[in-house]
Amino acid sequence: MKLSRIIKFIDKEITQYFHFPIPEIISILIITIFSLNTFSLLSHNSLNLEHMTGGRLFSIYASSKVIDTNINRFLHSLGLCNINSFPVLLAVVLTALTIGEAFEKGRAVTMLSYPISRIEFILNKILTILIVLMVCLIMPIVLVMLSVFPIRGVLIIGLLGWCWSLVMFVILTSLMAITFRRSLPAILTTLFISFFIELLSTNLGTMHLMYIFNPSEVLIGYFYPASLSGLFINMPDIKDVLLSIGTGFLVLIGCTILLVWRIKNMDVK
Amino acid sequence: MSYIGCNILKLKYPFFNVSSKMLVEVDKLVKRYGRTLAVKEVTFSIGNEVIGLIGPNGAGKTTILKILLGLIKADEGRATIFGRDCWEDSLYIRQRVGVLHEKIYFFDQLTVERYLKFIASLYDMEINELEVFRILCELGISNVRDRKIGTLSAGELQRLGLAQAIIGRPQLVLLDEPTSNLDPIGRRDFLNKIETLHNDDNTAFLICSHVLHELEQICDRFIIMHQGRVLAQGVPSEISEEYGLAGYEVVCKELEGVKRKISRISQIKDVIVLSRNSLVITFDRKAKLEVKNSIEEIKDEIIEIREVSPPVEAVFKEVISRG
């Protein structure tokens, strides 16, 4: 009995009964790494990845105000940041697995052989993902947050930012999924793009780039300068606010146009 | 397409340009996948008939089907169905064309009845339980009506595939390896159904398959493809005429011995067994006399010999071998 043969057999079994175990496992790893980024709240040397996932507002609130000891601050902010960034990361994974899998398993070929337009096909998938995310994740979190968060206005803008982030990530991941027609490259490329934008904005000092994926934070800083978040975000100039929202909006529109163009012109094999 | 066929088509689809007389027209179609030329200047047309699109693996058959459905864009040339461009008007075409892919994706969690109703709704049709039952009866799977698709056997799935392809009452049906998962009885029923649909409902079929002797029973014409090119098209007798092929059907007492001896005749190109005591041999028309003389030498073992048109399998092998 050879171990290599057994391993091969196990691999076949897993592939047969659990679809895409490798992308799923890697996705979980990526989510874990992103979540562990909350360590930045203590060490102050992160790449600020939590910005993109809207994590800063709630985690800073929790880590600085509520808890005093270092280890408790870490654990608490880790938990809060997980809640906060999980929907966004899940959006990426869910979109990539749903759309990537459609092309990998010939689902798209079958469905697009019926009288369904390509736009209907992709829109149906995107809306399904968004509805699942909104109903299963956002609504419960909204209800919990509304009951505990002290400043409702900040919370509402923050939640709008979440929704913005979700739509942005779903559109971007869809674009990547139909480009690569595979789940894993779609996940990795989306995260790389968001990471790259973050890095670019940090290095170039262009604040508006940083908030492409969640412009609500800059809005919070503008409308609530004296609020809790205002203590941590310097009050931005109105030009920065408009530039942030404008850039985010343009990126979203651009990605949507690219997605529509791509789905209309691609070969469905 | 016959005159009557044109009139029926005109009644069913008033938009259809009867003057073109062809449902499908493919003109100098070219498709590349990177550096690989999958389809090379393919030209053919299909009227209201049953056509067999045959060729070895990688011949470009499935690519042609996908181009016709608007799933893949041709790099050069033009493909039209009902006079409409397959890429530009693919939605219009898919509303009127049924498809059974080689690998079809089903919604495993739906019951057969719900699935067929769902597919009908995509064609803007509403069908009731009785209609579903009638279709399933015709395809011999009425017993699975309430079962989840995930629990069906490969043969049942194949029949369900044909059901979904014809449920929109299409004028043209494209089938890719339709009998691959069926047992011999299932294959016969499947082919009978295709024949019935063609004769009764005037439905045209374009069938890609490797099972050539089955296609021979139902196809009006064949298009033979190899390495992305159309090598020959027409009825098998026309193609064999063009390629100078002739054939004899030999009825014998003991098949194996005769087959072995006949195979040794140098002019014989192919020997195809038809039944327990008969086979068909094909050879170059010019060598007819030599073949006959050679067979004369084993006449004691032969009951009967008659000249026949070479079967499509032999024609196919000859066409492919000449490339």
Side-chain angles (χ1 to χ4, degrees):
Chain A
M1 190 183 290
K2 283 183 180 175
L3 190 64
S4 61
R5 283 168 67 92
I6 295 171
I7 290 169
K8 271 184 188 173
F9 186 71
I10 290 170
D11 172 52
K12 296 283 182 300
E13 286 284 296
I14 291 172
T15 314
Q16 175 70 27
Y17 295 109
F18 305 98
H19 59 277
F20 301 105
I22 297 167
E24 279 170 359
I25 289 165
I26 294 177
S27 305
I28 290 165
L29 283 175
I30 289 167
I31 290 172
T32 312
I33 290 164
F34 268 66
S35 301
L36 284 174
N37 187 57
T38 48
F39 185 67
S40 65
L41 295 168
L42 289 179
S43 61
H44 302 291
N45 61 358
S46 82
L47 290 164
N48 290 324
L49 289 172
E50 73 280 4
H51 277 244
M52 288 175 294
T53 57
R56 197 162 79 164
L57 179 65
F58 300 113
S59 40
I60 288 176
Y61 166 66
S63 59
S64 60
K65 279 284 177 184
V66 181
I67 303 161
D68 42 10
T69 66
N70 268 357
I71 187 67
N72 281 349
R73 281 174 70 186
F74 170 68
L75 290 174
H76 203 91
S77 57
L78 182 71
L80 276 180
C81 219
N82 273 346
I83 292 171
N84 201 9
S85 55
F86 189 72
V88 169
L89 293 168
L90 195 69
V92 174
V93 175
L94 194 62
T95 311
L97 287 176
T98 307
I99 298 177
E101 190 194 32
F103 287 97
E104 286 171 69
K105 287 195 167 178
R107 212 173 290 190
V109 170
T110 305
M111 291 313 292
L112 290 173
S113 298
Y114 298 123
I116 299 170
S117 76
R118 291 170 178 226
I119 301 294
E120 282 172 336
F121 173 74
I122 200 80
L123 205 60
N124 171 50
K125 292 205 173 291
I126 287 176
L127 288 178
T128 308
I129 294 159
L130 284 174
I131 288 167
V132 168
L133 286 168
M134 297 292 175
V135 173
C136 298
L137 288 162
I138 299 296
M139 292 309 288
I141 291 171
V142 167
L143 291 174
V144 172
M145 287 298 179
L146 277 174
S147 63
V148 298
F149 206 80
I151 308 169
R152 297 281 162 88
V154 174
L155 178 67
I156 287 166
I157 294 177
L159 290 172
L160 283 175
W162 263 6
C163 297
W164 176 284
S165 295
L166 288 185
V167 173
M168 182 72 94
F169 273 99
V170 167
I171 296 286
L172 186 60
T173 317
S174 303
L175 183 61
M176 294 304 134
I178 65 164
T179 301
F180 295 109
R181 294 167 211 200
R182 298 293 303 270
S183 316
L184 184 59
I187 294 169
L188 295 177
T189 320
T190 306
L191 294 178
F192 175 76
I193 288 172
S194 55
F195 172 77
F196 182 73
I197 290 173
E198 171 76 12
L199 207 64
L200 198 70
S201 60
T202 310
N203 287 336
L204 296 178
T206 48
M207 189 177 173
H208 56 280
L209 266 184
M210 195 182 286
Y211 294 109
I212 283 173
F213 290 97
N214 190 350
S216 65
E217 280 202 44
V218 73
L219 267 179
I220 290 169
Y222 187 76
F223 286 111
Y224 295 89
S227 75
L228 205 60
S229 59
L231 297 173
F232 304 98
I233 304 170
N234 294 326
M235 184 180 168
D237 191 79
I238 184 68
K239 275 196 291 184
D240 276 337
V241 175
L242 293 176
L243 211 54
S244 297
I245 295 171
T247 313
F249 190 70
L250 282 177
V251 171
L252 186 62
I253 295 291
C255 285
T256 310
I257 290 170
L258 268 176
L259 179 69
V260 170
W261 178 82
R262 189 86 186 92
I263 192 76
K264 284 186 91 167
N265 289 288
M266 69 188 292
D267 285 347
V268 184
K269 292 178 199 167
Chain B
M1 193 194 324
S2 68
Y3 176 73
I4 297 167
C6 285
N7 277 342
I8 291 167
L9 207 61
K10 203 174 176 182
L11 284 172
K12 204 168 177 182
Y13 299 113
F15 49 82
F16 183 63
N17 179 11
V18 179
S19 65
S20 77
K21 294 196 175 185
M22 286 295 162
L23 294 178
V24 181
E25 285 182 294
V26 171
D27 185 31
K28 292 181 179 172
L29 216 58
V30 174
K31 179 66 193 175
R32 294 181 193 87
Y33 294 127
R35 286 182 183 176
T36 311
L37 200 54
V39 174
K40 301 171 192 172
E41 297 210 338
V42 166
T43 300
F44 65 82
S45 51
I46 300 171
N48 197 16
E49 52 197 333
V50 181
I51 298 282
L53 183 60
I54 57 177
N57 292 333
K61 307 183 295 288
T62 305
T63 302
I64 296 273
L65 284 197
K66 287 183 177 174
I67 290 173
L68 291 177
L69 284 167
L71 294 172
I72 288 177
K73 191 177 185 178
D75 294 321
E76 291 168 36
R78 192 163 189 249
T80 60
I81 296 182
F82 310 127
R84 300 283 194 115
D85 188 272
C86 289
W87 178 256
E88 301 292 334
D89 297 319
S90 72
L91 195 60
Y92 177 92
I93 287 165
R94 280 183 274 136
Q95 188 78 41
R96 291 154 182 86
V97 173
V99 194
L100 171 57
H101 290 286
E102 188 180 4
K103 285 176 190 166
I104 185 167
Y105 167 77
F106 292 103
F107 293 89
D108 287 354
Q109 294 305 311
L110 291 185
T111 64
V112 169
E113 186 177 321
R114 275 193 67 193
Y115 171 71
L116 288 178
K117 282 182 175 175
F118 166 66
I119 299 298
S121 73
L122 297 178
Y123 289 93
D124 298 327
M125 290 170 62
E126 271 188 36
I127 57 166
N128 57 33
E129 285 82 1
L130 267 177
E131 282 174 289
V132 171
F133 187 69
R134 184 183 56 78
I135 291 168
L136 295 176
C137 278
E138 284 173 11
L139 293 166
I141 47 169
S142 57
N143 56 321
V144 301
R145 187 172 62 162
D146 298 320
R147 271 172 56 190
K148 281 190 177 179
I149 293 174
T151 66
L152 301 186
S153 70
E156 288 165 340
L157 284 176
Q158 199 79 6
R159 289 165 197 240
L160 181 61
L162 183 62
Q164 61 82 34
I166 61 173
I167 204 156
R169 297 184 193 115
Q171 180 62 32
L172 171 69
V173 180
L174 310 176
L175 305 174
D176 196 359
E177 301 294 345
T179 57
S180 56
N181 290 316
L182 296 175
D183 57 42
I185 296 166
R187 285 180 179 189
R188 189 58 258 170
D189 291 347
F190 201 94
L191 298 174
N192 283 343
K193 183 64 192 166
I194 290 172
E195 233 170 356
T196 309
L197 283 167
H198 179 60
N199 294 334
D200 298 352
D201 299 345
N202 228 22
T203 310
F205 285 88
L206 176 62
I207 309 170
C208 296
S209 179
H210 294 293
V211 192
L212 302 180
H213 66 273
E214 284 178 1
L215 286 186
E216 196 164 20
Q217 297 162 34
I218 55 164
C219 287
D220 300 317
R221 282 196 302 129
F222 288 92
I223 298 167
I224 303 177
M225 287 188 73
H226 183 44
Q227 293 176 342
R229 288 180 297 140
V230 171
L231 297 181
Q233 51 183 311
V235 293
S237 59
E238 281 174 5
I239 302 172
S240 52
E241 188 75 35
E242 188 186 328
Y243 278 75
L245 273 184
Y248 282 133
E249 183 182 344
V250 179
V251 183
C252 49
K253 293 167 190 166
E254 198 270 310
L255 187 81
E256 278 309 309
V258 172
K259 189 184 169 189
R260 201 166 44 247
K261 285 171 186 167
I262 280 180
S263 300
R264 286 189 203 130
I265 303 170
S266 59
Q267 291 89 351
I268 299 289
K269 285 179 179 282
D270 202 9
V271 181
I272 294 166
V273 175
L274 291 183
S275 65
R276 276 191 295 179
N277 65 345
S278 70
L279 48 83
V280 171
I281 54 171
T282 53
F283 47 86
D284 199 322
R285 194 173 292 278
K286 291 172 192 163
K288 199 170 173 180
L289 199 63
E290 289 103 305
V291 171
K292 200 163 189 180
N293 290 338
S294 302
I295 293 175
E296 282 290 311
E297 291 169 17
I298 52 166
K299 65 181 178 187
D300 294 345
E301 294 170 59
I302 291 170
I303 299 168
E304 191 188 353
I305 179 164
R306 57 175 173 261
E307 194 168 344
V308 290
S309 179
V312 69
E313 194 177 331
V315 175
F316 174 75
K317 284 178 185 170
E318 179 64 17
V319 171
I320 296 296
S321 68
R322 291 203 204 170

